[in-house]
Amino acid sequence: MSHIPLIRKALSVVRPAFRLNFHHGIHGVPHWSRVWFHGRRIARSLDVNPVIVAWFAYLHDSQRHNDGYDPLHGHRAADFATRLRRERVLVELDATEFEHLCEAMRLHSDGHTEGEPAIRACWDADRLDLGRVDIRPLPHRLCTEAARDPAAIGQAWRMAQGQGRRRG
Ligand SMILES: [Fe+2]
């Protein structure tokens, strides 16, 4: 199944509200796209609905006020998701899946490693992209087997560093 229409929809609602560098920022579209790439594979390994990680990828950093210390951005992302659901934009998830999405966003920058498979899939998808800020993902900080795979970490590192080289 193609997720392209879903991603187009997500970008169309996120972009007008996004305050930071959409095309080149460390929390912009290149990051969201890699989170989706990693998350899709992790979701498959855990039998998690990939639509949860798709929405996570494109929403979780969308409400940031800056690229640095912004501890409430995950909570704002969950509030934004709730608004999208109320407005019948985010319609693909059942109640439990939607709650997992919101929980994953609220807690995604707190370093947790325990939770429902869908939530862990989201967190690890995000953490695998730490190479864009020159942080190598550490296996013991990851919480899914699929993300801890050395081949996955190596691939994620190369993808993330590619953004840095283009920027630099
Ligand atoms: Fe992120």
Side-chain angles (χ1 to χ4, degrees):
M1 178 192 149
S2 170
H3 294 93
I4 291 172
L6 171 70
I7 289 160
R8 280 216 184 96
K9 176 170 68 170
L11 285 172
S12 74
V13 291
V14 162
R15 187 167 188 177
F18 189 57
R19 303 178 180 203
L20 307 174
N21 188 324
F22 184 78
H23 288 293
H24 303 291
I26 59 170
H27 296 107
V29 169
H31 169 55
W32 305 341
S33 302
R34 289 190 297 267
V35 172
W36 166 227
F37 176 89
H38 301 312
R40 189 176 190 168
R41 193 175 54 81
I42 298 168
R44 197 181 308 127
S45 77
L46 294 171
D47 210 16
V48 159
N49 181 356
V51 173
I52 303 172
V53 287
W55 276 113
F56 174 86
Y58 291 90
L59 290 181
H60 76 284
D61 281 333
S62 71
Q63 305 303 307
R64 273 187 165 272
H65 290 168
N66 61 63
D67 280 323
Y69 184 70
D70 185 2
L72 293 180
H73 75 278
H75 290 263
R76 289 195 299 273
D79 292 346
F80 185 54
T82 301
R83 200 183 95 204
L84 294 176
R85 191 162 170 87
R86 201 170 47 236
E87 293 173 353
R88 306 246 185 279
V89 175
L90 199 168
V91 293
E92 298 83 3
L93 304 177
D94 68 27
T96 302
E97 291 171 332
F98 182 72
E99 195 35 57
H100 290 163
L101 168 68
C102 290
E103 191 72 356
M105 293 201 290
R106 282 187 208 105
L107 300 176
H108 80 268
S109 47
D110 296 348
H112 298 289
T113 53
E114 285 176 24
E116 294 291 331
I119 295 175
R120 288 185 286 115
C122 292
W123 291 342
D124 273 6
D126 192 28
R127 289 168 189 161
L128 277 179
D129 198 40
L130 281 168
R132 74 196 190 284
V133 287
D134 291 326
I135 297 172
R136 193 156 186 115
L138 296 171
H140 72 274
R141 296 269 175 86
L142 299 167
C143 49
T144 64
E145 283 304 313
R148 281 193 211 107
D149 177 354
I153 293 176
Q155 181 189 36
W157 177 259
R158 289 188 298 276
M159 289 171 69
Q161 290 276 298
Q163 181 183 6
R165 274 198 296 279
R166 279 195 301 278
R167 262 206 325 270

